Amino acid sequence: MAQPHYQLETPDRMEYTFLSVTAGSILFKVQAANDAHIALTAGPNETGPLYEIFIGGWGNSKSAIRKNKQKPEVAIVDTPGILSASEPRGFWMRWIHGDLDVGKEGQAQPFLSYKDPEPFGIGHYGICTGWGAAGTWYIEDGDSSKRVDTEDKLEYNWHHVQQGCLNVEVCSPHNAHLALTCGPCDSDPMYEVLLGGWENMASVIRYRREKPDKVRANTPALLSQGEFRRFCVAWKNGHVRVTDATGNVIMEWIDPSPFGISHFGVRTAWGASGKWRVCCAERPDFYARPSAPPAQMAAGALPGWAVDGAKGCATWVDCSHGVVPPNAVPAGFDNGEQLYVGRARHAGDIIPGKVQPSHQMCYVPWGGVEQAKTEYQVLCNCEPVWLPATDGRIPPGALPAGETEGVEPLFVGRATHNGVMCVGKVQETHAVCYIPYGGKELAFNEYEVLCAQ
C-alpha cells in the first residue's frame, strides 16, 4: 500500500530534476535554508507551459507562484521562516482544472493558491534549490499511508485527505467506522460508512448521523479479528461508493446536496478495537468501468470489426513515456511529427486522444483542458478508415474506444486546427468531437470518426 517515494538531493543551482506525476497532488518534505522551487509541466522539461512554485524565496521571507517564467508573480504571500536548513519541513500541493493550492503538512487550508483561467495538462514536476541553498527532498506522490490503532470508543481519529479515494485495510471483529467531513472533527454535514455492524452482519452509509440509513447491505462475516480485510471508499460530487478487495460494490449512495470533503476519521466501537492501514488512491481506479477490449466482445457489438480478421482485430497495448509499439494506428501530424491513436484514464473516464512521441505523452481532452498522461494505451493491429460526420453522429462501424464515468461510450474522432490533424473523442450526447490542443479541450461540429473498413 505504500505510495511512490523518493529522496533527492538538489545542489545550489537552478536546474530542475524532473519526475512524472502519478496523481493530482504530491506530498513532500524539504530541508533547505531558502528557495525550494517546484515546477509543474506537461513534459519532463521547461520548454512548454509551466507553473513555478517558490517556497521560502526572497531570503526565506516570501512564497510565490509564477506562470511561464513571467513576472509579476500570479500569487505571492509573506512566509517568514517557512524553510529550515536544520530540519525538513513538510508541504502538500494539489492541482485540478487550473486550481493550484500549496499548503503546510498538517494544515487543511492552503497558504498559497492560484486559479489559472487557461490551464494546461500536467504530466511532470521538477524540483530544485537555488540562490545559495542546497536541499534534501523527501517526496511522495499522492497522500502518505496512515497506520492507525483504534480503541473501543466512539471517537474518530482524524486525518487530512487530498483525493477522493481511500484504500482501507482494517483488522477488527466488527463495527469499523469511517467518516468523511469538511474538517478534522465531528461536523455537519458528514458521511459515515459503518462496516460490519450489528455483530458483523450488516453495513450502512449514514448521513448527518441520522436514521434511517441511506443504504443498508447484508454483509455477514465482512470483517475479521484475525486478518486485515481490504476495502475502497471513493467519492465524487456526492457519489459515495464502497467496494471490496475484488472491486465488487458493497454500497453506494448519491447525495443530492454534496459538500467538500477534506478529512476522514476512523474508529471502532461496541466492544471492538481495530488496526487500520489507510492510504489515498486515484479515484479512476474505482470509478472507471472500462469497456471490454474488442477481441473480448461479441462480433455483433462491433459492426465491421472482425474478431479474427487482420484488418478489424483492434488491440489496445499498454505503453508509457512516449513509447509507440509496432503496428500502431497513425492518426495525424503536428509540425511534421506523426501522431497516433491512444487512450488514457482521467477522472473516472477512459478517453481517446493523441500520442505524441516527442512529448512522451498521450494527450486527452477533458474538462476544457488538454490532459497530459505518461501512461496510456495505443491502438494497434488494425487498418481502419476515417469517415466524415457532424453534430455528434457516429457512423456504422465506429470503434467504441472509451467511456465516461456514467458509462456513455466514447469514439475516436479527429479534426484539424491550426493546420494540425489532432485525435480526440466523439461524445454523442454533446454533439461534438473534442480534441486536445495547446493546453485546451476544443470542440468541433465537423470531424472524422475511426471506423472499420
Side-chain angles (χ1 to χ4, degrees):
M1 293 181 65
Q3 299 291 317
H5 182 273
Y6 310 95
Q7 179 175 339
L8 300 169
E9 305 288 334
T10 54
D12 174 20
R13 61 174 184 263
M14 300 291 290
E15 294 180 5
Y16 284 110
T17 298
F18 281 95
L19 300 165
S20 61
V21 301
T22 60
S25 67
I26 55 174
L27 290 170
F28 60 95
K29 292 184 178 181
V30 58
Q31 183 173 331
N34 53 270
D35 285 278
H37 297 184
I38 306 97
L40 299 176
T41 61
N45 52 57
E46 302 175 53
T47 59
L50 81 160
Y51 305 118
E52 287 183 291
I53 297 89
F54 308 129
I55 299 176
W58 296 269
N60 202 20
S61 66
K62 298 177 183 293
S63 298
I65 299 174
R66 187 177 296 167
K67 185 177 180 183
N68 296 338
K69 297 187 177 293
Q70 296 179 357
K71 294 183 179 181
E73 285 73 22
V74 295
I76 186 167
V77 294
D78 292 328
T79 54
I82 193 169
L83 295 179
S84 171
S86 60
E87 65 176 3
R89 298 283 176 85
F91 303 92
W92 55 264
M93 186 181 305
R94 61 173 177 258
W95 55 91
I96 180 170
H97 308 330
D99 290 333
L100 174 59
D101 293 317
V102 185
K104 295 181 181 180
E105 181 182 34
Q107 295 183 9
Q109 295 300 314
F111 65 85
L112 185 62
S113 296
Y114 170 56
K115 183 174 181 62
D116 188 359
E118 297 182 344
F120 60 91
I122 294 172
H124 288 77
Y125 65 93
I127 60 171
C128 73
T129 44
W131 307 111
T136 301
W137 299 70
Y138 308 88
I139 303 172
E140 293 199 30
D141 288 28
D143 202 4
S144 57
S145 298
K146 298 175 175 64
R147 289 169 174 79
V148 184
D149 291 336
T150 54
E151 302 177 45
D152 175 20
K153 58 184 180 181
L154 285 168
E155 294 180 5
Y156 281 110
N157 191 320
W158 296 102
H159 301 272
H160 182 236
V161 63
Q162 299 177 35
Q163 297 170 214
C165 188
L166 292 171
N167 279 339
V168 178
E169 292 185 1
V170 59
C171 180
S172 177
H174 53 82
N175 281 290
H177 300 179
L178 185 145
L180 301 172
T181 66
C182 56
C185 59
D186 289 17
S187 59
D188 184 17
M190 175 169 65
Y191 305 132
E192 288 184 289
V193 176
L194 312 183
L195 299 172
W198 295 269
E199 298 300 324
N200 206 17
M201 293 299 294
S203 301
V204 303
I205 296 176
R206 188 169 292 170
Y207 179 59
R208 288 182 166 173
R209 299 184 179 277
E210 296 176 352
K211 294 183 179 181
D213 301 314
K214 298 301 182 182
V215 178
R216 181 185 175 101
N218 293 324
T219 56
L222 182 71
L223 300 179
S224 171
Q225 189 172 17
E227 65 178 4
F228 281 93
R229 298 286 173 85
R230 185 180 181 188
F231 307 93
C232 170
V233 180
W235 59 94
K236 180 181 180 182
N237 297 332
H239 187 169
V240 182
R241 171 178 290 177
V242 183
T243 56
D244 63 18
T246 63
N248 293 322
V249 176
I250 300 173
M251 301 180 290
E252 61 183 327
W253 177 63
I254 298 178
D255 181 3
S257 301
F259 62 92
I261 292 170
S262 63
H263 288 76
F264 74 93
V266 294
R267 71 182 186 187
T268 43
W270 310 113
S273 60
K275 296 180 179 180
W276 298 74
R277 300 171 183 158
V278 186
C279 74
C280 280
E282 289 189 82
R283 183 171 52 232
D285 290 342
F286 300 91
Y287 273 77
R289 290 177 292 278
S291 301
Q296 297 176 6
M297 297 179 69
L302 292 170
W305 290 88
V307 174
D308 299 318
K311 293 185 178 182
C313 192
T315 304
W316 291 99
V317 179
D318 292 331
C319 296
S320 65
H321 298 91
V323 172
V324 175
N327 301 321
V329 175
F333 291 91
D334 186 351
N335 290 326
E337 180 183 7
Q338 181 73 69
L339 304 177
Y340 297 89
V341 177
R343 68 179 183 182
R345 293 176 181 266
H346 183 79
D349 296 357
I350 301 175
I351 308 170
K354 65 180 181 184
V355 177
Q356 191 160 2
S358 67
H359 290 197
Q360 302 183 24
M361 293 284 178
C362 175
Y363 295 102
V364 298
W366 188 92
V369 179
E370 179 182 50
Q371 308 287 346
K373 301 294 180 179
T374 57
E375 296 186 356
Y376 49 87
Q377 293 182 320
V378 180
L379 182 62
C380 299
N381 302 324
C382 59
E383 299 178 13
V385 295
W386 295 90
L387 299 181
T390 60
D391 300 324
R393 294 182 179 87
I394 307 297
L399 174 66
E403 62 188 15
T404 67
E405 190 177 65
V407 201
E408 178 186 358
L410 300 175
F411 298 85
V412 179
R414 69 180 184 182
T416 301
H417 181 70
N418 286 348
V420 176
M421 179 65 79
C422 191
V423 188
K425 66 182 181 184
V426 180
Q427 191 162 357
E428 192 171 10
T429 58
H430 290 202
V432 295
C433 173
Y434 293 106
I435 66 167
Y437 182 88
K440 299 180 180 180
E441 178 188 51
L442 303 178
F444 292 82
N445 296 105
E446 297 182 357
Y447 49 88
E448 294 180 329
V449 180
L450 184 143
C451 299
Q453 288 191 21

